[in-house]
Amino acid sequence: MITLINSLFELSNLKLQNLHTKYHRFLFNTILSSDSKFSGIYGSRGVGKTTLLLQIAKTLEFKSDEILYISCDHPRLADISLFEFTSEFVKYGGKCILIDEVHEATNFEQELKSIYDFLDIKVLFSGSSAIKLTNPSFTRRYAMYHLPILSFKEYLELELHLKLQSYSLDNIVQNHTDIANNIIQNLNNEKILKHFEKYLKIGAYPFYFDNKDSYTQMVLDTINTILYTDLGSIYNITGDKINILRKLLTSICVSNPLELSIDALAKKVGTSKVTLYKYIELLHKAELLRHVIYEGKRFKSMQKPDKLYLANTTLFSSLCLEPQIGTLRESFFASQVSVNSSIYYVTKGDFLVDEKYIFEIGGKNKGFDQIKDINNSFVVSDNIEVGFKNKLPLWLFGFLY
């Protein structure tokens, strides 16, 4: 075991030495300042979990031989118990271990629990979004942090090398005109709508900034890895069923959110309604699909369809030749708002957020006809830089984190 630890120490040091990314995602300081013994970062492939772990490792005040980064997809760890490995590391003075791709390890839930219960060591681990709900102990025992896609704010910071501020939803709703003007003034004559249009196509994943030429292919590879490696291994889904998941994503990509009933969608992808609901939930957990339910279904059984989107707008650009602009707008809004807020769809307007705000999403000329008699209702318009009164610019909802 000590030979393996020495070998992985070399790889860990190489990883840390080759880390040149200076930009910190919004969770960096929160996780770094946490006094929790165990912290987990979950999120979709490609959002920067590994980079975040390495950045934290370089910042923590441990000696170089007291901290170790490992990735469970490394072949040398294929048949190794995480508990036994970590126990041996502790014997040799280990005080902190960073475990990447933890869902790749055999019996990772039980192994983590044993480390937590029996070893005196600080642990930070990362894993697929799909692991979050596999066991309630994750939310009860560990400090869990969700790392979502890049917000529009974070994308601008990376693209323009700026430092910008994020705002709460309440603040945006109440002070959106002043906030929008302030952001635009800080962009040094860069056009906010030009960058927003680009973000909708390519802005979700930070690896864009290192791999612009091969970005689209890398997004497709990311989708396949989530389907075949993450969902396939965690839920033991076979190859033929994975093809149904791919078909489901493509069908949603080319349809309006409420265009396909569950019956029609099940028939289109070739599966039963019961199985389809299961697959929708798995794809939602894995952050390839966003499942938004009708607000009335929280209280009683209703035969209302659910809204289904791809989870972010970059996925539309990768899977559809010409995504519908209305669907893109709603998908962007939902992807940014749902990080910190509850979201349901409603009959009048498009979304109910945090149980108090109604938002209608549309283009520059979108009016108030559908929501004119509803309190706390707002039109969210694309293609405007600054809003007025109850009309807000769509891009501003990219500044929530």
Side-chain angles (χ1 to χ4, degrees):
M1 188 73 79
I2 187 59
T3 303
L4 176 59
I5 291 175
N6 285 331
S7 174
L8 293 177
F9 251 120
E10 292 181 17
L11 293 175
S12 176
N13 286 330
L14 280 174
K15 271 278 196 180
L16 290 168
Q17 290 168 10
N18 292 326
L19 179 68
H20 303 300
T21 303
K22 296 181 179 179
Y23 181 80
H24 293 154
R25 294 291 310 274
F26 73 101
L27 283 178
F28 175 79
N29 288 325
T30 302
I31 298 173
L32 191 63
S33 62
S34 171
D35 58 2
S36 177
K37 178 184 173 183
F38 263 58
S39 296
I41 304 167
Y42 66 97
S44 180
R45 293 267 181 175
V47 295
K49 300 185 299 296
T50 299
T51 298
L52 183 55
L53 280 178
L54 292 170
Q55 288 174 330
I56 291 171
K58 291 190 74 169
T59 310
L60 288 170
E61 295 181 353
F62 291 105
K63 295 178 182 178
S64 58
D65 61 351
E66 294 176 339
I67 187 168
L68 175 65
Y69 164 88
I70 63 171
S71 181
C72 293
D73 60 0
H74 192 285
R76 293 286 300 276
L77 290 168
D79 299 312
I80 301 296
S81 160
L82 268 184
F83 173 76
E84 292 179 6
F85 178 88
T86 307
S87 179
E88 196 73 10
F89 178 48
V90 171
K91 290 178 185 177
Y92 285 90
K95 294 183 177 179
C96 180
I97 188 168
L98 300 102
I99 307 172
D100 209 0
E101 307 289 358
V102 71
H103 58 279
E104 295 278 1
T106 304
N107 297 322
F108 66 91
E109 294 177 351
Q110 184 58 48
E111 297 285 317
L112 283 178
K113 182 180 183 298
S114 296
I115 295 170
Y116 181 89
D117 289 340
F118 298 109
L119 299 180
D120 183 18
I121 187 170
K122 184 176 179 65
V123 176
L124 289 92
F125 64 90
S126 81
S128 163
S129 299
I131 73 170
K132 185 196 174 189
L133 298 177
T134 57
N135 191 323
S137 68
F138 272 89
T139 54
R140 184 179 67 249
R141 185 176 283 110
Y142 316 133
M144 296 294 291
Y145 301 93
H146 176 225
L147 188 66
I149 59 167
L150 286 177
S151 68
F152 180 44
K153 166 197 167 279
E154 291 179 307
Y155 168 81
L156 285 174
E157 289 180 323
L158 282 162
E159 178 76 0
L160 302 177
H161 306 289
L162 295 172
K163 182 62 180 174
L164 299 166
Q165 182 181 342
S166 58
Y167 302 87
S168 69
L169 179 63
D170 290 337
N171 197 0
I172 285 177
V173 168
Q174 294 163 16
N175 304 296
H176 62 90
T177 302
D178 289 340
I179 292 172
N181 278 320
N182 183 57
I183 292 169
I184 291 168
Q185 288 173 10
N186 289 330
L187 292 188
N188 300 326
N189 296 318
E190 293 283 347
K191 299 299 182 184
I192 190 74
L193 294 182
K194 181 188 76 171
H195 287 290
F196 182 58
E197 183 179 359
K198 187 177 178 183
Y199 171 86
L200 292 180
K201 295 177 181 177
I202 51 84
Y205 302 104
F207 58 78
Y208 165 77
F209 295 95
D210 298 319
N211 304 277
K212 293 183 179 180
D213 292 338
S214 57
Y215 181 66
T216 299
Q217 184 57 50
M218 290 184 69
V219 173
L220 292 172
D221 291 343
T222 297
I223 295 169
N224 285 330
T225 303
I226 293 171
L227 291 174
Y228 287 94
T229 302
D230 295 350
L231 291 179
S233 62
I234 294 172
Y235 298 103
N236 297 317
I237 300 176
T238 57
D240 58 326
K241 301 298 189 296
I242 296 293
N243 290 331
I244 293 177
L245 295 182
R246 286 188 60 85
K247 203 172 189 180
L248 177 57
L249 289 174
T250 304
S251 298
I252 291 169
C253 186
V254 297
S255 305
N256 286 319
L258 288 175
E259 186 177 277
L260 288 173
S261 67
I262 290 296
D263 286 319
L265 194 54
K267 186 175 182 180
K268 191 169 186 177
V269 302
T271 190
S272 69
K273 286 173 61 176
V274 172
T275 302
L276 180 63
Y277 273 117
K278 174 187 173 184
Y279 287 168
I280 287 171
E281 189 60 25
L282 291 182
L283 290 171
H284 179 80
K285 288 180 184 178
E287 297 185 65
L288 287 176
L289 181 153
R290 187 168 310 282
H291 180 200
V292 182
I293 68 170
Y294 180 65
E295 61 94 17
K297 293 173 76 170
R298 295 173 293 161
F299 310 113
K300 57 184 177 180
S301 177
M302 301 181 70
Q303 296 299 313
K304 293 283 284 187
D306 297 331
K307 277 192 172 184
L308 299 174
Y309 306 90
L310 297 187
N312 65 69
T313 58
T314 295
L315 295 176
F316 280 92
S317 299
S318 300
L319 293 174
C320 305
L321 290 176
E322 294 184 7
Q324 298 182 37
I325 186 61
T327 303
L328 276 180
R329 290 165 178 159
E330 291 185 27
S331 176
F332 166 78
F333 181 88
S335 72
Q336 305 288 284
V337 169
S338 62
V339 170
N340 294 314
S341 297
S342 65
I343 184 169
Y344 301 91
Y345 87 85
V346 286
T347 304
K348 292 185 177 181
D350 285 312
F351 298 110
L352 169 67
V353 176
D354 284 343
E355 306 286 341
K356 61 179 178 179
Y357 298 124
I358 298 289
F359 295 103
E360 173 79 10
I361 319 298
K364 183 177 183 178
N365 298 317
K366 186 70 177 180
F368 291 83
D369 292 348
Q370 292 189 40
I371 57 174
K372 60 184 178 181
D373 299 321
I374 303 175
N375 292 330
N376 283 331
S377 63
F378 304 86
V379 165
V380 178
S381 291
D382 196 6
N383 297 317
I384 63 171
E385 289 189 344
V386 181
F388 181 72
K389 295 296 184 182
N390 282 30
K391 192 167 192 174
L392 291 72
L394 178 62
W395 64 263
L396 189 53
F397 289 86
F399 278 73
L400 289 167
Y401 64 90

